[in-house]
Amino acid sequence: MDQAILKVDNLTKVFSRKGKPDFTAVDHISFTMHPGECVGLIGESGSGKTTVVNMITRLLDPTEGSIILGGEDITRFSGRELRKVYARMQMVFQTPTDSFDPRCTLGDGIGESLRNNGWSRKETKDEVTRLLEMCGLSADFASRYPHQVSGGQCQRAAIARALAIKPRLLICDEATSSLDVTIQKEIIALLNKLRWEKGSDLSILFICHDIALVQQFCNRVLVLYKGKIVEQGEPDEVIRNPQDPYTRHLIDSIL
Amino acid sequence: MSEPTIRIQKIKKDTVKTRLIIFGILALILLFCSVFCEHLTPYDPYLQDLKNAKAPPSPEHLFGTDRYGRDMLSRVIVGSKTSIFSTLLLVGIVTVLGTMVGVFCGWHGKWIDTVLMRISDMFLAFPGLVFAMAVAGVLGGGLQNAIIALVAISWPKYARIARSQTLAQKETPYLKAARLSGSGTWKIIFKHILPNIVGPIFVTSMLDIGTMMMELAGLSFLGLGAKPPTAEWGSMMSDARSLLSSVPWVTLAPGFAIFVSVMIFNLLGDTIRDYADPKSRGR
Ligand SMILES: Nc1ncnc2c1ncn2[C@@H]1O[C@H](COP(=O)(O)OP(=O)(O)OP(=O)(O)O)[C@@H](O)[C@H]1O
Ligand SMILES: [Mg+2]
């Protein structure tokens, strides 16, 4: 039962740029996530957090390394195989408003994964309503377009979309950074509620650059600096007794 | 300081809208004429009346008659069917074909993209109409071959636009989200990419209607398009050009028709471009 939900091994991404030397955005990182665990990934802007999760979700091809999801090596998957994987892994994007097609309604976006998995139009509609309500939005948001809702509402819709297919692994790429503090609190409360309800059926990879938030929300934290994991451990431990100079700097600058 | 700016924007928006309505109506009138041309002609356009040949414009024959005594106004009206329909058909084919190639290249990438784009570069490197003449010459005359020739030279432009738009779309978070929702290639292309790129492509094809009409008439004029006695503006002009000094109206009437139609479609295209541009709409 205690099989790792996600195992990342030596993951590396090198961007080759025209006229400039190659740039290593992610440098041989390895970590493991267990069922029900909530892992925080922190690091300053540009440290490679989004690149890491884009590789895990296979939106970006890794240069090196492997990604093992629930015991299955998905590093080389493509097409139909990959689409099946997305029923177990979902992501909330860094920019909520841009992550919905401006020409489709929020309801279309939220129900898309269900429709792709053979749900009927009627079933999908009911489920979208349920998801919206679970995320604190009323049912009429389903027929709105992304530019007709606020950033916070869009973020909730994005979470509803990610949860629609009931993934085992949820990746939140700075799901709260673009929001003000009160909305941020509500989103965290929502994620916390989900964690309690689902127990070991839901693991969350939580990307953030707010170390205080990670402390209250995550079981474990990974500190990313210039594409490398410089420190990992329990949040309290890391904050109280940082081993790496960068982590110390990060903590000092916040507290 | 800000109030005058707002006012200017508003006025500008209104004029764009008025222009859109005016040119839209004019274009619709043209289309209407070409659809119902048989019922709008005052005389039978193919009926010869040698007694009345080469008659100058008069109240009975507004555009005069040609050397067989056929009423020029009727011939110009009937010619609109061939000229306008083949132009719209041409633009339609080029738009769809070019967009398909472009979206495919942009989405698929890799070697197939490189090959197709090199081919389109090759086409773009030739001077368009000269190349079309060569193609039409090889295929032989006829309206159909003229259309094929013009499709051959015009698709790369659309393929380029569609490709670059597709590449830009591919990087957007919502497309990544669609992939993450497990949507397949076809669904992504038809539901997410195409609706987001049709705007600029449509504007380009509207702007091209005038040019295409000229080029098609040009090929016909050179004898590489519609053949007489089919009433088509380009071939009608070419037909009568030897008599330009003695009976100028036979050449000028279809020329005038081309001029007016090209003008209307160009202005309509310009207006649609202005209207589609959010900056000029002053949102
Ligand atoms: N497609 C790309 N080509 C070249 N360099 C890239 C590309 N994508 C990202 N990078 C670079 O990789 C580094 C990491 O980017 P990434 O988006 O992963 O940062 P991040 O940690 O998510 O930052 P933020 O907190 O601002 O979102 C940056 O220096 C960025 O400039
Ligand atoms: Mg990021």
Side-chain angles (χ1 to χ4, degrees):
Chain A
M1 185 56 223
D2 200 33
Q3 192 193 27
I5 178 87
L6 177 72
K7 193 164 178 297
V8 170
D9 204 25
N10 273 325
L11 203 59
T12 304
K13 181 71 196 180
V14 181
F15 287 114
S16 42
R17 298 170 298 182
K18 272 194 192 123
K20 284 190 237 165
D22 286 356
F23 175 73
T24 310
V26 176
D27 195 0
H28 295 89
I29 70 163
S30 308
F31 66 92
T32 309
M33 279 179 73
H34 297 285
E37 205 179 15
C38 178
V39 175
L41 182 61
I42 60 173
E44 63 185 1
S45 191
S47 54
K49 308 181 294 294
T50 301
T51 311
V52 171
V53 293
N54 278 346
M55 283 193 285
I56 294 175
T57 49
R58 293 297 321 283
L59 295 172
L60 196 65
D61 283 329
T63 312
E64 202 189 313
S66 62
I67 304 146
I68 293 154
L69 184 78
E72 196 177 17
D73 188 342
I74 63 163
T75 325
R76 300 271 166 261
F77 276 18
S78 67
R80 195 183 301 264
E81 278 176 324
L82 192 58
R83 267 175 263 149
K84 260 196 234 145
V85 167
Y86 291 145
R88 285 183 284 149
M89 163 167 73
Q90 281 295 318
M91 173 151 85
V92 179
F93 287 80
Q94 190 165 358
T95 46
T97 313
D98 295 344
S99 73
F100 281 96
D101 188 333
R103 303 205 176 243
C104 294
T105 60
L106 295 182
D108 280 342
I110 297 170
E112 193 164 339
S113 56
L114 299 175
R115 297 284 292 151
N116 286 331
N117 281 278
W119 289 50
S120 76
R121 208 172 290 264
K122 173 88 181 55
E123 287 169 334
T124 306
K125 191 164 174 281
D126 295 343
E127 180 67 7
V128 166
T129 306
R130 197 188 68 78
L131 286 162
L132 281 172
E133 274 161 7
M134 182 177 83
C135 296
L137 295 172
S138 62
D140 69 291
F141 275 85
S143 56
R144 296 221 204 158
Y145 286 88
H147 64 267
Q148 294 171 327
V149 302
S150 75
Q153 291 163 337
C154 219
Q155 191 66 273
R156 286 161 187 267
I159 294 174
R161 170 174 63 189
L163 294 173
I165 197 76
K166 302 197 170 56
R168 312 243 312 144
L169 173 64
L170 177 68
I171 299 172
C172 297
D173 190 356
E174 309 202 16
T176 57
S177 305
S178 62
L179 308 175
D180 61 61
V181 186
T182 46
I183 310 291
Q184 203 171 344
K185 280 228 173 69
E186 289 177 28
I187 299 277
I188 293 295
L190 170 66
L191 289 174
N192 258 326
K193 190 181 85 175
L194 280 167
R195 280 180 69 201
W196 290 122
E197 279 171 13
K198 310 254 169 181
S200 65
D201 286 339
L202 180 69
S203 320
I204 301 180
L205 180 58
F206 190 77
I207 297 180
C208 190
H209 40 220
D210 182 351
I211 202 160
L213 200 61
V214 168
Q215 187 182 17
Q216 46 167 296
F217 187 62
C218 299
N219 310 106
R220 201 146 58 85
V221 61
L222 312 170
V223 182
L224 201 63
Y225 178 58
K226 292 196 172 162
K228 288 196 182 72
I229 293 183
V230 290
E231 181 143 0
Q232 55 177 310
E234 288 190 11
D236 291 335
E237 197 60 37
V238 171
I239 288 172
R240 213 178 311 126
N241 188 13
Q243 301 297 314
D244 186 84
Y246 169 70
T247 322
R248 202 168 300 141
H249 175 73
L250 194 71
I251 292 162
D252 287 346
S253 63
I254 292 166
L255 301 179
Chain B
M1 208 36 225
S2 72
E3 204 189 322
T5 343
I6 292 168
R7 273 191 51 130
I8 288 169
Q9 275 180 350
K10 201 157 157 36
I11 291 167
K12 215 170 163 188
K13 181 187 170 180
D14 287 349
T15 54
V16 167
K17 211 164 187 172
T18 342
R19 268 164 56 205
L20 189 67
I21 293 170
I22 294 173
F23 296 128
I25 290 176
L26 286 176
L28 279 180
I29 291 175
L30 270 185
L31 282 182
F32 180 82
C33 281
S34 62
V35 172
F36 296 105
C37 59
E38 277 98 354
H39 309 287
L40 294 173
T41 54
Y43 299 91
D44 179 351
Y46 297 104
L47 184 73
Q48 303 189 358
D49 177 9
L50 292 174
K51 281 200 302 280
N52 227 338
K54 300 187 189 172
S58 63
E60 291 98 76
H61 299 282
L62 277 178
F63 284 175
T65 62
D66 68 1
R67 60 181 141 163
Y68 304 113
R70 298 177 294 196
D71 178 46
M72 277 319 287
L73 180 61
S74 305
R75 283 183 68 70
V76 167
I77 292 177
V78 164
S80 70
K81 181 161 228 156
T82 321
S83 294
I84 292 180
F85 268 118
S86 25
T87 307
L88 293 183
L89 183 70
L90 171 62
V91 172
I93 295 176
V94 169
T95 308
V96 172
L97 189 79
T99 306
M100 268 166 38
V101 172
V103 170
F104 179 74
C105 285
W107 177 258
H108 192 277
K110 304 193 191 115
W111 63 273
I112 216 154
D113 176 34
T114 319
V115 171
L116 282 171
M117 282 303 122
R118 285 299 150 271
I119 293 176
S120 85
D121 279 346
M122 248 160 57
F123 278 96
L124 284 173
F126 285 107
L129 206 53
V130 175
F131 186 53
M133 276 160 58
V135 175
V138 169
L139 293 173
L143 195 57
Q144 209 181 329
N145 290 343
I147 292 180
I148 294 176
L150 287 174
V151 167
I153 61 157
S154 318
W155 68 270
K157 182 172 158 195
Y158 289 84
R160 290 260 143 195
I161 298 173
R163 178 177 176 271
S164 68
Q165 294 277 336
T166 306
L167 286 178
Q169 290 292 317
K170 244 171 116 176
E171 291 307 313
T172 58
Y174 58 80
L175 218 72
K176 291 180 177 169
R179 276 163 70 189
L180 218 55
S181 296
S183 297
T185 306
W186 290 110
K187 186 164 181 187
I188 288 182
I189 288 180
F190 281 101
K191 194 170 170 209
H192 298 290
I193 295 184
L194 281 178
N196 280 297
I197 70 171
V198 285
I201 292 174
F202 178 71
V203 170
T204 312
S205 39
M206 289 309 286
L207 279 169
D208 264 2
I209 293 181
T211 323
M212 298 272 190
M213 188 177 272
M214 291 268 281
E215 292 184 348
L216 204 57
L219 283 183
S220 296
F221 183 84
L222 294 170
L224 295 167
K227 286 258 164 36
T230 315
E232 196 273 347
W233 295 338
S235 63
M236 276 160 74
M237 282 182 78
S238 155
D239 217 19
R241 70 182 190 280
S242 55
L243 301 173
L244 184 62
S245 51
S246 56
V247 276
W249 53 87
V250 182
T251 318
L252 291 184
F256 180 70
I258 295 175
F259 172 75
V260 170
S261 322
V262 168
M263 197 72 155
I264 288 177
F265 280 117
N266 268 346
L267 289 170
L268 179 66
D270 269 343
T271 314
I272 289 180
R273 186 194 49 203
D274 288 349
Y275 191 72
D277 180 7
K279 268 179 267 153
S280 76
R281 250 195 285 171
R283 273 203 287 216

